[in-house]
Amino acid sequence: MERLRSAASGAAGRVGRRRRELEAGENLFLGGFPRAASGPGPPGRATCRRRGTRASGAAPPRRCPLPFLPCRRSRCGKAERSQPRRGSASPGRRGCPERASAPAGAAPRLAAQSRRRPEGKVVCGAGPGAMPGRGALCLGLLLHVLLGCRSAQQPDSCLSLCECSEPAKTVKCVNRNLTAVPPDLPSYVRNLFITGNRLARLPAGAFPAQRLPDLSALNLSGNHLRAVEAGALAALPALRQLDLSGNPLVSLSPQAFGEGGSPLEELALRGALRDHSVLLSLATMLQSGALRNLSRLELADNGLLLVPASMFTALLALRQLDLSNSSLVGLRNVSFQGLGGLQSLNLSDNSLGVLRNGTLAQFRSLPALRRVGLGRNAWVCDCAVEDLVAWLKESDQVEGKEALTCAYPDKMLGKALLKINGSDLNCSVPVDLPSQLQTSYVFLGIVLALIGAIFLLVLYLNRKGIKKWMHNIRDACRDHMEGYHYRYEINADPRLTNLSSNSDV
């Protein structure tokens, strides 16, 4: 289009130069007749009078339809043919004022030109009656008209900061330092790439529906996005694919796709859920059914430790789920119930140590599940891994299961899970600490109860001896108390006190 515009501007310049040349040499084109000293038209432009009118009549002269082309009509029409062939026209007769002063020798040449050129026609190009160089003029005029019609039919213009391709229905705004979504995107776009820019947030109505009715694939990865507000993606009725990967999101509204939901089928959030609150907002959005048509969900590279419970239960159309390259330590609280169409589950590059019976039972209950990725996890090869080993041996769902190896304990390091036997496992190491502590508390209670029962039994068997011992202790205490009482009475009576003193003397 740019080359076409430059060609049109060059052609217009050549047309202007050719027009000036034609105006300068118009007398030569008219067969050597000089231009009239006075006439009704502007200087430098040929005029044609209507037939049956006098030179000084009231009817205005007929001008040529193209202002920069010389008039190619017969100068006098039938009036010329009705006049006798004379060298000069008598005053008062009808005729061309230009021919009144023409020399007599030019009349035959003018008659020949009149016979060659039909009345009222403009001749372009080469051939009889055509002017040399007129092809360039006609080509420039045609190109100018075509460009004008083209601009009138296409009101949408692509941005100078974006790369637009109308045949591919694609617009790319890559690494342009944009701070907002361009407002004048062309309406034909179906694939929109706005990546590597500096969009801080997506406000409500960032993509107007009346301008983008056919937008189906939207890539907003790597834009430094931090907030996606409510209604930011609600007005895209044809949206099927959305990529928000590589954005440090801190706020994701559960109503980002509006209240009525979205036809979205593929959502990529790689490295965009580093903030735990954003993960909870996404879980709320998924559980609300706003993305009930979602068939592919990518949550890789997010450093997730745990996945919120029942996060995927409303995604009945889910086919592919990617949870790879995170830090998942377990799937005990994750529910895959209801995902009957799930075909691929990627759990590789995590920190999984063991898969419990509940999780393995959910895998067995998914009829369409064909690919499960478990590579590069820290598997603990103890008594709890027996169920996982049995499932690996009987199932064909795990990709590359021969490469799964133990990471703990040291004596099992690097040993393939499929080659583990019951004798190789060290079951003395407690696996489930809470249940082990619970068992210890029960055992301690039983021991204390036995000790109490034995103590009571000993007391019962020695009841007589204990009774005699209790009586002896009572008598001893009584004698001791009587001695104290006797001494108290002596000290309280003065006579007994003196007697006691004399007797001592």
Side-chain angles (χ1 to χ4, degrees), residues 446-461:
I446 294 174
V447 170
L448 292 178
L450 289 175
I451 293 175
I454 293 173
F455 180 73
L456 293 176
L457 181 61
V458 170
L459 291 179
Y460 177 76
L461 294 177

Side-chain angles (χ1 to χ4, degrees), residues 177-404:
N177 290 326
L178 300 178
T179 57
V181 177
D184 53 350
L185 293 171
S187 59
Y188 62 75
V189 62
R190 292 183 181 176
N191 306 309
L192 178 58
F193 296 84
I194 304 179
T195 62
N197 294 286
R198 311 190 69 84
L199 305 181
R201 66 187 187 95
L202 281 183
F207 299 93
Q210 62 272 16
R211 291 287 297 167
L212 304 173
D214 299 326
L215 181 61
S216 60
L218 177 59
N219 191 333
L220 297 174
S221 59
N223 279 313
H224 299 86
L225 273 176
R226 298 182 62 84
V228 180
E229 301 178 0
L233 303 167
L236 297 175
L239 187 62
R240 296 295 183 271
Q241 301 175 6
L242 175 62
D243 192 347
L244 291 173
S245 303
N247 290 295
L249 294 177
V250 296
S251 175
L252 176 62
S253 175
Q255 290 80 32
F257 294 91
E259 299 293 339
S262 172
L264 192 67
E265 296 178 357
E266 298 183 11
L267 176 60
L269 291 168
R270 287 180 173 270
L273 302 179
R274 300 290 180 176
D275 194 288
H276 186 66
S277 62
V278 179
L279 177 62
L280 296 179
S281 299
L282 176 64
T284 303
M285 179 191 301
L286 297 179
Q287 292 172 358
S288 66
L291 302 178
R292 62 180 65 91
N293 297 318
L294 204 64
S295 62
R296 182 179 179 182
L297 180 59
E298 296 185 16
L299 302 178
D301 306 332
N302 285 307
L304 304 177
L305 293 176
L306 294 173
V307 178
S310 305
M311 180 175 179
F312 311 116
T313 53
L315 303 179
L316 302 181
L318 192 63
R319 300 290 182 271
Q320 300 178 14
L321 178 59
D322 190 354
L323 294 171
S324 62
N325 198 21
S326 293
S327 302
L328 292 175
V329 296
L331 298 174
R332 176 177 296 183
N333 63 329
V334 181
S335 175
F336 299 99
Q337 297 295 332
L339 304 183
L342 187 63
Q343 301 175 359
S344 175
L345 176 61
N346 193 352
L347 297 172
S348 59
D349 294 292
N350 281 288
S351 300
L352 295 175
V354 66
L355 292 179
R356 302 292 177 181
N357 282 331
T359 303
L360 298 176
Q362 292 187 55
F363 290 164
R364 293 189 184 98
S365 65
L366 299 177
L369 187 60
R370 294 291 179 269
R371 295 184 300 274
V372 179
L374 296 176
R376 296 177 294 279
N377 281 284
W379 300 111
V380 180
C381 296
D382 53 17
C383 295
V385 82
E386 289 181 340
D387 299 327
L388 176 60
V389 172
W391 177 67
L392 290 176
K393 292 180 179 180
E394 70 183 18
S395 175
D396 296 332
Q397 297 172 328
V398 181
E399 293 182 339
K401 58 183 179 181
E402 296 82 6
L404 301 181

Side-chain angles (χ1 to χ4, degrees), residues 401-412:
K401 58 183 179 181
E402 296 82 6
L404 301 181
T405 58
C406 299
Y408 179 85
D410 294 338
K411 68 176 185 177
M412 301 289 290

